Amino acid sequence: MIDILHLSKSYGDTLAVDDLSVQIPSGEIFALLGPNGAGKSSTVKVLTGLMQPTTGVVRIAGFDVVEEPIEVKKRIGYVPENAILYESLTADEYLDLAGTLRHLDPDKLAERREELFTLFELSKADRKKLLAEFSKGMKQKVLLIAALIHNPEVLILDEPLSGLDANAALIFKEVLRKYAHEGGKTIFFCSHVLDVVERLCDRIAIINHGTLAAIGTPSELLQESGELSLERAFHRLTGGADIERSTEDILRALSQ
Amino acid sequence: MFGSVDFRQVRILTRFALKSEWRSASLRMRSSRKKMSRSWAYWTMVSYLGIGAFSIRLFAHNFSGDAYVTAAGFFMLYVAFISASNIFLSFGTGFLSPDESQIISMLPVGSETFFFSRLAVLITYTTTIGFLVSIGPFIGLQFFFRPDLFANLAFLVVSILTSVGAAMTVIALYGLMLRRLKPSVITRMMGYVQFLGSFVVAMSFVLLTRAEYSFDFHTFNITTEPLLALLPAFWFASLAGIVTGVTSGIYVPLAIGSIALLVLVAAASHLLLGKHYQNEISELSASASTSTKEKNASDRAAHAIGGGFLFRTYTRFARSFEARAVFMLLRAQFRYDTKFRMQLLATLPLTFVYLFIAIMSGGVGDPFTASIKQVARANLLYMIALLMPMMLMQNVSQSANYKAAWIFFSAPLDRAKLLLAVRNALLISLILPYMIVLAITFSFFMPVYHAIEHVLVLGAIAGLLFQLYIMMAPRMPFAQQRRPNRGNLAVTIGLSSLGIFAVALLGLEIYFGYRSAARYWPTFALIVTMSAVLEQAVRARVRKKLEQEEFEG
């Protein structure tokens, strides 16, 4: 469903993504992990059409993101890392905007909006409020609803659980699981919450300095790294500093 | 008095604030994010130098005695207006910056310390403005009119003091408002106050320019017109005059008055804002998130303008999803976002001022019967009407909320359709009503059918220009970071060229087309046809350019 072939993205002289190749089939929940500045956001921005690749090919549902961006965007739902919305709109209006931009039939849009609002426990009064008045978690719920409202074939989620309360997070994770495994949809997931990734995702890719450091199921990554948790495996595969020594150094510096 | 101020913190905060503001002002992010280029800060500085250079002529025959003080008084008025309007228009984001306050509130920085650091930034900023505007006249006086270094340096210093004093007066007035009014009321009324303020500023500049040409300062000065002494700018001018030996009569008390005024506004701003500075900012910040009640009031106001009716009409005829989506967003921003609304309506003060100038010069001449000279009285008014669509488009492409435009970049839409939908929405909701009001206004100066025909031509030329502008600088709506004077030199030159082209075309049309109905309608049809023919080229160009545009956020 998602084919990333030799993708590179550079900003001037800085190479953010370097020759990345990954194939993600339908019905899979796939996580892209990496330390800060590893190239995750650049990859996501290319997948979603916010930026163009410098070189390489990205195909979603068989469509090239550069050659046929509209066809690609029809098939994806996207939740960006930072909940940036038009705060002068109400939640209702924002979803109207998102749905209209996705060419949804107004009746269908209203029906889905209603169902998703109920699922995410946003009351009728909330829906009439300006987004400026929403908390971070409530804004995140609106973003999730906007990403799901057209029932996309591919969901691209950048830190989707950020700010959600425990109940909403639980429901959303279950929705994702069934959406992929029963609905046959593809989910591309970026997160720093590794225990969620470990439990939710079928396959994980770790990138470091823009290049692919490892790819496989959670158990394959644990096996490859010889560690017992994904957190430790991630640390080892991305060449992080020695944990014990770093901890001691920090505490020693503080006590001086 | 300053016991609770930590001056070490003031120094550090000031240094970092200046560094950060200079960087954000002088570096412009390009779409490829990492590349940066010199930008508007430099052009702003050049424009201040230009204003100063333009003002040298004020002193050409007025470099001594009463005439010098009067010329300096008018110049100080310029300086004061420039400085005060700068602070006035950027007050909410500059002096009372909620973003910075949030960062600082996590640190052990006292309210007065924070206040003093912001004050130091403000003084640096206004000193720079004062210096840049005054350096031209200083050079003119020193090298051409009056080679007296001490007196001319005094002029420079007093100009800077005027700039700082004007800014401090605005601060003190805001402080007074904060004491008297609720933060929520201030937040709500700020947009309107700034809108009215822009009328006053534009009008003042016009009156000042006319005053220079209308009076001989050797006979028209404070001694012959004592009412001028009521203007504080003339108090500062008196201070500059005393150094050159103008010490007679009223000048000494006025000079003392200028120093007293500086002390007074400094003390007032400290007293009114200093101790409660952080508290005031957080209250203003909290009140900025519009309550439902405010929203409803705003909603009613926008409906009064016609948003509801136009929306219903437009959505009925809008064929594409892009058009409906864009109009929905434009309408919501117009209804709820006072700043956006005021920016879109910013051409109104200029229209009003230029209409006023035309009336003062003898009225708007009927272009069908009057001489070219009589018609030319309203040239500036025509210019603003012709450029209005482009100014609107510029305002719509930039947004303080530009990061939210990710939705346009990630949605399956035809970007060209989106931009053209914005164009159509602006044409229907703002440009058409503006032209109707213009026709009604013109009908007071000429027969109604002449007014209508004239406005039809203005609208047709403005439409043609609008097409050319969209071809020249197609931009995704709401997707560019809003910064004053944003735009590169090529666009600025392009805009000016279009303005000149438009006035020339109007001139030609009046000269040839307005002579008879047999000429009028074919030439009008020709202009409209040109716009229509351009449509395909506009679509092709917009599609090609926007496909390559990347998200800036």
Side-chain angles (χ1 to χ4, degrees), chain A residues 49-122:
Chain A
L50 266 63
M51 283 183 175
Q52 302 214 340
T54 306
T55 57
V57 175
V58 176
R59 276 194 289 266
I60 294 181
F63 297 101
D64 188 302
V65 292
V66 177
E67 301 297 325
E68 294 165 288
I70 306 280
E71 292 306 317
V72 169
K73 288 170 189 178
K74 277 181 189 168
R75 289 161 175 81
I76 61 171
Y78 171 47
V79 175
E81 186 180 3
N82 300 311
I84 299 162
L85 301 159
Y86 285 108
E87 301 202 337
S88 57
L89 299 182
T90 63
D92 262 344
E93 286 171 337
Y94 187 79
L95 288 172
D96 272 349
L97 176 73
T100 310
L101 288 174
R102 296 195 166 281
H103 301 191
L104 276 185
D105 171 69
D107 293 336
K108 191 173 234 172
L109 173 63
E111 190 186 314
R112 286 220 186 123
R113 197 178 60 194
E114 209 56 36
E115 285 170 9
L116 290 165
F117 270 139
T118 311
L119 177 76
F120 282 100
E121 295 174 337
L122 284 171

Side-chain angles (χ1 to χ4, degrees), chain A residues 11 52 70 73 84 88-89, chain B residues 332-333 336 406 409 413 550:
Chain A
Y11 304 106
Q52 302 214 340
I70 306 280
K73 288 170 189 178
I84 299 162
S88 57
L89 299 182
Chain B
Q333 299 277 64
Y336 304 136
W406 65 268
F409 287 85
L413 48 82
E550 292 189 333

Side-chain angles (χ1 to χ4, degrees), chain A residues 132-157:
Chain A
E133 296 172 70
F134 273 32
S135 67
K136 185 175 188 293
M138 286 164 81
K139 283 181 187 166
Q140 192 68 11
K141 286 179 183 179
V142 174
L143 278 171
L144 292 172
I145 296 171
L148 286 167
I149 203 151
H150 57 295
N151 190 21
E153 291 172 45
V154 176
L155 261 181
I156 298 173
L157 310 170

Side-chain angles (χ1 to χ4, degrees), chain B residues 159-171:
Chain B
S159 297
I160 290 170
L161 284 180
T162 309
S163 174
V164 174
M168 297 274 276
T169 306
V170 174
I171 304 289

